[in-house]
Amino acid sequence: MSTPGSRQSRTESRRRFLQAGTVSAGAAFAAPYVLTSKALGDAATPPASDRVVMGGIGIGNQGKGDQANFLGRPDVQYVAVCDVRKQWRDEAKGRVDAKNGTKDCAAYVDFRELLARDDIDAVHIGTPDHWHAIMTTAACRAGKDVYLQKPETLVLRDGPAMVAAARRYGRVVSGGSQRVLGDYRGIVDPIWAGEIGAVKSIDISVGGPSMPCYLTAESTPPDIDWELWLGPAPWEPYNPGRCNGNFGTGGGSWRSYVDYSGGSLTDWGAHHFGGAIFAADLLELQPAKVTFHPASADGKEAGYVSVAYPNGVEIFHNRPGRLRPTPSISHQSAIQIVGDGQPREPKPVPAYRNGEGSIYGDFIECVKTRQRPFRDIELAVNTMTAPHMIGIAYRLERSLTWDRAAQQFVGDDEANRFIDRARREPWTLS
Amino acid sequence: MVRVILRPVLRIVTALLVAASLATAACAADDAVAMVVDLIGRDDAAFRAIGLERIRTAAKGEAATRTFAGLLATQAPERQIALVRALADRGDSAALPALAALVGTSQDASVRAAALAALGVLGSGAEVPALVKALAAADPEKGAARRALAILRGSDAAGQIVAALESAQPGLRPVLIDILTERRARAIVPALTTFAADADPATRQAALRALGAIGGAPQVGAMIAGLLKSPAGAERQTAEQAIVAVCTKNTGHAEAAKVFLAAFRAAPESDQEALLPALGGIGGQESLAIVDDLIASPDAAKRGFGLKAISRWPDASVSQRLLDLVGKTKEPTERDLLVGALIRIAPLRDNKLSDGQKLELVKKTMALCDKEDERARLIERTSAIRTIDSFRYVSGFLDTPALAEPACKSVVELAHDRQLRDANKDEFTKALDRVIGLTKNQELVDRANAYKAGKTWERKKG
Amino acid sequence: MPFDPATLDAPFAALKAYDWTADAAPLKTIDQAAIAAHADAALRADLEKRLCGILGGGPSRAAKEYACRKLMMIGTAASVPALAALLGDKDNSHMARFALERIGAPEAAAALRTALGEVSGDLAIGMISSLAARRDAASVPALAALLQGDATIAAAAAEALGRMSSPEALAALASADPFAAGGLGRAVVDARLACAEGLLAAGRRAEARGVYQALLDAAKGKPAAKEVELAATRGVLACVDASLAAL
């Protein structure tokens, strides 16, 4: 196993290298790492030996935002970018070089080359969802910590694979929903203070699942490595609308289509389900039952789906307004929560590890201290099971029962077929 | 020195234990604990990290916790901090004596702060005195103690903090009230009603803020009394905001609003005058009837109170009344007040109008504005309506030199909405380029460039 | 309301002529039929037969892909021959697996095993991956044999054996070198760790600990083996804690 050493041992070897004033040869694919004055640190910047060395994979829309946040941190030394699109890759490298005052940022098309570098402690991943599990497990095996954009999983099977890899190799893997703690304090604080009593039901309003993609074939531009963009997803011809990274889910973006995304249900859903599940303290749980409520006979009222947790809390997705009970507390019109009204013992609300109001700071602190991050991958995976199961119920138009221990639906062979997908060779997920 | 001697001994013990049979519980427990102890003593941080992870999540039991906590005394400060954090995550209060001792004995402020933070995670009411004492220290201890008091568990914790508050020096009371507010501690509420009339202004203000955050109907009477006692200015405003929050946002706000209205009706006229701004902030049909009567009064003073009250309305349900009143009034001060109210209300997030209706109201209000500063304020506030139509509307003012700066600010604020920006990328890019060329505000230029590059702008806290 | 099979005639005619430039709207009826087939055995059989008919000969790659997606949902043993025929075809192999991997019938696994003996390179990795996803115990001997061949395929085979987490898989992995060059050694270690986790989850602590201990012993003195040592140490500790929990 040619896994690079731990962050600590890498830090030690970097320190020795800096003291010796030599240029690191790095790993097989490493770009030259040139010693600059910034690498030695200044009043505002810790020396390189104390910084977390990072690279980014998938630096388009959301990945670009993540890059900006990590790049702006004085305790991060950003050294490499990876994207299958030349323009985004070049721009991302340009931003790093401008920040570092060098031309040393390595730029890769293939993430495996970036992961092979021995000097990188952590990566952030902002690719479309169909890559998340493969890249995260590969990064864990390669001894890297991972900040992974939400939605962390594309299919239910992705979750256990990522959690197992994180635990097996002792890696810090943080989900990337910055809104969970940032946007929902208005419901989180009163609920954790026990004010509405035990949560009974939650209504979430967010878009539905992704759809099949029937875009026509266009010639592949030279700017993109199309085979790598598709990766484990079924081969389809290039169309710009298929791989556009905009935030729409109604077509013309990868977030719209089933091979690459769970649609609004998991995209914005990661935020709303994330916020509601955190507020109701369901993070350790997975739903036990999924109920499909068919459309009204006259077709005027659309069908909807709910999931019930083992503790009795039920989350409804897009339940018609007339059926909703009066909420005890709401987050805008997106989340409505009903409690039993019996005040409960307050509990302290979990916080980011380093006291900053930033999930990025939380991740970096955990990389340094080896603590579990606020959005530990296991909690993020548990959260995402709800919208994934809801999506499957919509596709099959029926109710389901989930056996968490077996990670299977009970007595429904067809539903179990949606737990995972065959990955296109040569990509595998162990 | 002790560590140097212990380590090889522990290694030998560990090796023996690893080789031993796991047939008995005692042996298994010793095995697990000894292996963790060995790892914690290693020089290699990666192995230490495994030991710390096990302390967080495994090798359960109070005896093991005491063994791990016992290691604190032999560690260097940096390793002490890591171990303290792991013990906190472990969640076993058996570590408390060792942590409390560390607070008292460590020469390193960071270690003491870490230990105080751990007391907050593991402790209960018994830890309150030590934590309150640490509030008098400098940071990082002060900050750690503050956070620890805010998260301390146990049914007796809030009561202990309230007890500490009652006997605390005046200078410490606002901090303790803020901590109890953060805890949303109901136990503080009776005391708050007293502190709301405290001789110390900072304590009064903290108490009113706290009542605004966690008060309910039963406290409305005391809050009204506090408001009536508070001098005009910032303190009066805090009292008004607190009453409005209790009557519009907090749990049971409808009941609280009823209590307020009943008290208002029963109050002498002079008190009603002082309570009118709060009445306006609460809104609702019953309040509106009172306000309508006042506005219709031939008494100019009463009319003035009524107009002040309606100008504070919390939503757009009075927008047509405001438009009508502006149309009819001949008094410039009344007009200014009413137009100001429309500027505030029209784009309010929760003003009960759709985004399209909000923008229509903005346009109607703009037609009534006859001063540049009013137009500027309205343009800036329009950025609260996160739609492409409002973006196009405010962008139109980039061409008006006197209003270009607020238009720049509004465009940039709308560009902060990533979904909106990305869905209309070309339009935003053009507008942001214009902002960069027009504005004299460097922060707006930086933000515009950041949004063009797809970056997130982190708002400065506070 | 029962689904009228006759309504499928026109959509299937459209599917036969479908390619990546055509209008996909007529396929919507087939989507609905696939859902309705859950409660209608006759419809399911009819639909399956029609979809299998798309897989041979004339229809385009896009049409075959669509048919495979639907067979992933409703396919049975009856679909296996038509799908198996595509496993050796570079363009269609993945989509055939897309369906076969998720069809529970033993015939589907048998088809994948047979194809594993016939294809090479990336297509072989695909078969291995699908057999691993099915945790197909019968493929262990074939996977074990692949550990000795081409390093890339051997790594995939090791990974698959790890996913199986069976005693037979572990026995096969025991003879593979955890420090082999390239990705193979890494895959072997990962697979052995996965097997140990499987044993631990099944309450077989002593055996799990044996796996971790063997890795620790193998790592001793090897400069590039630190991550192995770390992971195996975590494993040993987990075994000890599991002993405690069981007492």
Side-chain angles (χ1 to χ4, degrees):
Chain A
M1 181 163 169
S2 58
T3 325
S6 66
R7 172 181 144 67
Q8 288 82 357
S9 62
R10 286 197 292 276
T11 301
E12 282 153 18
S13 66
R14 268 203 307 283
R15 189 175 291 123
R16 283 197 297 275
F17 138 67
L18 286 166
Q19 284 164 352
T22 56
V23 176
S24 166
F29 300 102
Y33 181 50
V34 177
L35 188 65
T36 66
S37 57
K38 275 199 175 178
L40 294 169
D42 53 35
T45 313
S49 55
D50 293 338
R51 277 176 259 161
V52 174
V53 178
M54 282 195 78
I57 303 170
I59 322 271
N61 290 21
Q62 193 63 45
K64 194 193 291 182
D66 291 341
Q67 186 201 34
N69 281 292
F70 286 119
L71 196 53
R73 298 187 62 85
D75 50 3
V76 166
Q77 178 74 24
Y78 205 104
V79 299
V81 297
C82 173
D83 203 290
V84 297
R85 293 174 202 250
K86 183 173 188 310
Q87 186 190 343
W88 290 0
R89 196 166 59 241
D90 290 349
E91 287 176 5
K93 171 179 161 54
R95 291 190 291 272
V96 177
D97 285 343
K99 166 78 182 350
N100 291 347
T102 68
K103 292 186 175 176
D104 298 340
C105 177
Y108 302 102
V109 180
D110 188 330
F111 70 97
R112 292 168 294 190
E113 297 181 12
L114 186 148
L115 293 182
R117 280 183 59 158
D118 197 18
D119 62 328
I120 290 178
D121 300 315
V123 294
H124 66 90
I125 297 173
T127 61
D129 308 350
H130 63 285
W131 267 117
H132 286 180
I134 287 175
M135 287 180 174
T136 299
T137 52
C140 289
R141 275 204 219 176
K144 316 297 183 204
D145 297 322
V146 181
Y147 178 87
L148 174 64
Q149 250 309 323
K150 61 91 220 170
E152 291 77 6
T153 50
L154 176 66
V155 290
L156 287 163
R157 159 68 191 145
D158 287 346
M162 288 194 283
V163 174
R167 301 291 182 255
R168 191 175 296 160
Y169 295 105
R171 305 322 309 174
V172 173
V173 182
S174 170
S177 179
Q178 75 284 0
R179 293 178 189 270
V180 166
L181 191 58
D183 283 13
Y184 301 96
R185 292 308 290 258
I187 53 173
V188 169
D189 289 350
I191 293 175
W192 282 64
E195 290 174 15
I196 69 162
V199 171
K200 307 302 291 178
S201 72
I202 302 170
D203 277 281
I204 293 177
S205 302
V206 73
S210 50
M211 51 189 164
C213 181
Y214 296 117
L215 292 172
T216 55
E218 292 190 15
S219 60
T220 310
D223 172 66
I224 187 169
D225 186 326
W226 185 238
E227 283 295 323
L228 262 184
W229 190 91
L230 287 169
W235 191 89
E236 300 283 350
Y238 174 83
N239 182 296
R242 191 181 285 280
C243 56
N244 190 320
N246 73 54
F247 291 87
T249 51
S253 71
W254 61 257
R255 285 182 173 81
S256 309
Y257 303 123
V258 71
D259 283 344
Y260 325 114
S261 167
S264 280
L265 183 59
T266 63
D267 197 61
W268 254 102
H271 295 312
H272 288 334
F273 279 92
I277 284 169
F278 176 48
D281 199 11
L282 303 171
L283 283 168
E284 307 280 350
L285 305 178
Q286 294 185 359
K289 287 194 181 301
V290 192
T291 306
F292 178 75
H293 307 264
S296 60
D298 60 7
K300 286 182 180 167
E301 207 160 68
Y304 63 96
V305 175
S306 60
V307 289
Y309 284 80
N311 63 357
V313 176
E314 200 162 6
I315 300 183
F316 295 83
H317 173 252
N318 289 356
R319 178 162 55 161
R322 68 174 184 83
L323 298 176
R324 297 186 187 191
T326 304
S328 311
I329 198 164
S330 301
H331 172 79
Q332 298 165 11
S333 56
I335 303 173
Q336 297 173 331
I337 300 182
V338 178
D340 68 6
Q342 305 297 314
R344 311 184 95 198
E345 182 71 21
K347 296 179 293 185
V349 180
Y352 291 136
R353 286 287 192 176
N354 68 343
E356 282 182 32
S358 154
I359 197 169
Y360 303 100
D362 176 75
F363 173 69
I364 294 298
E365 176 73 4
C366 291
V367 171
K368 292 177 188 169
T369 61
R370 312 314 299 164
Q371 297 173 98
R372 288 202 182 159
F374 170 79
R375 197 68 178 154
D376 177 62
I377 186 64
E378 191 168 353
L379 306 181
V381 163
N382 287 341
T383 297
M384 292 309 299
T385 55
H388 283 313
M389 289 178 195
I390 289 170
I392 293 171
Y394 276 122
R395 288 190 205 291
L396 296 175
E397 298 182 4
R398 60 178 178 266
S399 301
L400 309 163
T401 301
W402 179 245
D403 178 344
R404 182 179 183 176
Q407 289 287 295
Q408 295 269 309
F409 292 107
V410 178
D412 194 323
D413 167 59
E414 286 164 33
N416 283 327
R417 296 184 187 202
F418 284 92
I419 288 172
D420 198 5
R421 293 175 196 171
R423 289 164 187 81
R424 193 165 64 101
E425 60 277 355
W427 302 104
T428 61
L429 181 69
S430 59
Chain B
M1 176 62 87
V2 173
R3 192 154 47 91
V4 172
I5 296 165
L6 272 179
R7 199 179 303 146
V9 174
L10 284 170
R11 289 244 171 99
I12 294 162
V13 170
T14 305
L16 289 170
L17 286 171
V18 168
S21 159
L22 299 176
T24 66
C27 183
D30 288 351
D31 197 0
V33 173
M35 287 180 75
V36 171
V37 168
D38 171 61
L39 288 164
I40 294 298
R42 299 264 190 111
D43 288 332
D44 188 321
F47 283 95
R48 284 204 305 279
I50 295 177
L52 293 170
E53 177 64 14
R54 301 310 295 181
I55 290 175
R56 285 188 195 102
T57 59
K60 295 292 180 197
E62 287 185 13
T65 302
R66 280 192 286 273
T67 302
F68 299 143
L71 297 173
L72 284 168
T74 61
Q75 305 286 308
E78 199 179 328
R79 294 191 187 186
Q80 280 178 321
I81 292 170
L83 184 51
V84 164
R85 287 173 174 167
L87 287 165
D89 287 347
R90 182 177 174 82
D92 185 349
S93 59
L96 280 169
L99 292 165
L102 200 59
V103 171
T105 58
S106 174
Q107 300 300 305
D108 187 307
S110 298
V111 173
R112 293 196 300 273
L116 287 163
L119 292 184
V121 175
L122 300 176
S124 60
E127 277 61 53
V128 168
L131 291 168
V132 169
K133 187 180 164 197
L135 287 175
D139 276 330
E141 287 162 86
K142 183 182 177 182
R146 195 194 177 293
R147 167 77 184 150
L149 284 163
I151 65 169
L152 203 58
R153 285 177 186 255
S155 53
D156 59 339
Q160 290 288 332
I161 302 171
V162 172
L165 168 64
E166 282 162 355
S167 61
Q169 295 298 312
L172 207 52
R173 284 180 188 162
V175 181
L176 288 168
I177 291 172
D178 284 346
I179 287 167
L180 286 159
T181 309
E182 199 174 324
R183 296 178 63 94
R184 303 180 72 84
R186 299 267 149 216
I188 192 188
V189 170
L192 285 176
T193 53
T194 309
F195 285 122
D198 197 87
D200 171 44
T203 301
R204 278 202 308 272
Q205 292 270 300
L208 287 165
R209 275 199 308 273
L211 284 169
I214 57 176
Q219 287 73 52
V220 169
M223 294 175 80
I224 289 173
L227 183 147
L228 294 173
K229 277 184 195 163
S230 61
E235 195 179 332
R236 172 73 63 90
Q237 216 172 344
T238 303
E240 287 168 5
Q241 286 167 352
I243 289 175
V244 169
V246 167
C247 296
T248 59
K249 290 180 188 160
N250 292 7
T251 309
H253 58 80
E255 180 59 30
K258 276 185 197 160
V259 173
F260 178 85
L261 278 166
F264 180 90
R265 286 202 189 86
E269 203 166 306
S270 58
D271 287 355
Q272 283 186 342
E273 179 190 333
L275 294 173
L276 268 168
L279 182 88
I282 293 165
Q285 284 304 311
E286 269 191 77
S287 303
L288 191 55
I290 295 168
V291 169
D292 277 345
D293 283 349
L294 288 167
I295 293 170
S297 168
D299 181 333
K302 282 190 176 174
R303 177 179 165 81
F305 297 145
L307 291 172
K308 262 188 194 166
I310 202 170
S311 73
R312 299 197 177 203
W313 222 252
D315 55 52
S317 60
V318 295
S319 59
Q320 193 52 53
R321 268 187 178 75
L322 291 167
L323 290 166
D324 293 344
L325 286 165
V326 177
K328 286 176 190 161
T329 187
K330 303 271 188 288
E331 287 294 323
T333 51
E334 284 189 3
R335 194 213 69 93
D336 291 354
L337 184 71
L338 295 164
V339 170
L342 282 163
I343 291 170
R344 181 180 62 79
I345 287 170
L348 269 184
R349 176 185 268 183
D350 298 323
N351 73 0
K352 298 183 179 171
L353 300 180
S354 69
D355 285 341
Q357 289 171 323
K358 286 179 189 176
L359 189 57
E360 279 312 303
L361 185 54
V362 163
K363 289 175 182 173
K364 283 180 187 169
T365 304
M366 185 61 82
L368 296 171
C369 293
D370 60 7
K371 300 184 180 73
E372 291 300 342
D373 70 303
E374 288 176 343
R375 294 191 187 97
R377 264 189 296 143
L378 184 56
I379 290 166
E380 280 189 31
R381 288 189 52 76
T382 301
S383 64
I385 312 170
R386 306 275 171 148
T387 64
I388 189 62
D389 290 333
S390 64
F391 163 78
R392 287 170 185 154
Y393 179 70
V394 298
S395 299
F397 292 98
L398 291 170
D399 297 318
T400 309
L403 297 172
E405 202 59 51
C408 286
K409 201 168 177 187
S410 203
V411 164
V412 168
E413 194 54 42
L414 282 158
H416 184 74
D417 187 316
R418 182 186 282 259
Q419 249 179 322
L420 179 63
R421 184 178 80 218
D422 282 354
N424 304 279
K425 204 169 180 177
D426 290 346
E427 274 188 76
F428 267 93
T429 301
K430 279 179 198 157
L432 290 170
D433 279 334
R434 294 209 56 208
V435 166
I436 292 164
L438 280 169
T439 184
K440 295 177 177 63
N441 181 333
Q442 187 55 43
E443 183 174 299
L444 289 186
V445 174
D446 293 344
R447 289 181 67 180
N449 278 317
Y451 297 141
K452 275 180 66 191
K455 291 179 190 170
T456 302
W457 178 267
E458 286 207 36
R459 290 181 196 281
K460 292 179 179 62
K461 302 290 174 197
Chain C
M1 188 189 295
F3 200 96
D4 178 5
T7 59
L8 291 171
D9 292 345
F12 268 92
L15 180 58
K16 267 184 189 145
Y18 178 73
D19 67 15
W20 278 305
T21 61
D23 176 16
L27 309 185
K28 184 79 184 162
T29 308
I30 305 176
D31 294 345
Q32 290 163 347
I35 292 168
H38 173 66
D40 185 340
L43 173 64
R44 183 171 183 156
D46 179 54
L47 186 61
E48 185 173 18
K49 193 176 169 191
R50 289 173 189 258
L51 288 165
C52 288
I54 298 294
L55 299 183
S60 70
R61 180 177 180 179
K64 286 176 181 158
E65 179 203 306
Y66 177 88
C68 288
R69 286 179 190 271
K70 296 300 131 188
L71 287 170
M72 185 278 270
M73 271 181 77
I74 61 125
T76 67
S79 306
V80 171
L83 289 163
L86 298 177
L87 286 173
D89 174 353
K90 183 172 69 66
D91 283 350
N92 293 301
S93 181
H94 171 236
M95 290 314 294
R97 282 195 299 110
F98 197 87
L100 282 170
E101 183 180 303
R102 313 306 304 161
I103 293 173
E107 290 86 346
L112 289 163
R113 282 197 301 273
T114 303
L116 178 59
E118 294 167 353
V119 298
S120 60
D122 284 355
L123 294 192
I125 292 173
M127 302 310 143
I128 292 167
S129 164
S130 288
L131 288 164
R134 296 178 65 98
R135 298 191 178 210
D136 177 51
S139 62
V140 169
L143 294 170
L146 290 171
L147 289 175
Q148 310 307 322
D150 171 83
T152 309
I153 289 177
E159 205 173 76
L161 290 165
R163 183 94 183 259
M164 311 266 182
S165 284
S166 64
E168 295 77 13
L170 184 58
L173 288 162
S175 59
D177 180 5
F179 298 101
L184 176 56
R186 183 181 299 185
V188 169
V189 168
D190 195 66
R192 284 205 204 170
L193 292 170
C195 286
E197 288 161 16
L199 289 167
L200 195 52
R204 296 160 68 171
R205 296 180 301 277
E207 290 162 85
R209 188 165 177 170
V211 177
Y212 290 124
Q213 194 61 52
L215 281 170
L216 274 178
D217 293 343
K220 203 165 286 175
K222 290 198 171 56
K226 183 172 173 186
E227 287 292 324
V228 178
E229 204 184 342
L230 289 167
T233 302
R234 274 185 214 103
V236 170
L237 280 159
C239 292
V240 176
D241 269 327
S243 304
L244 274 175
L247 288 165

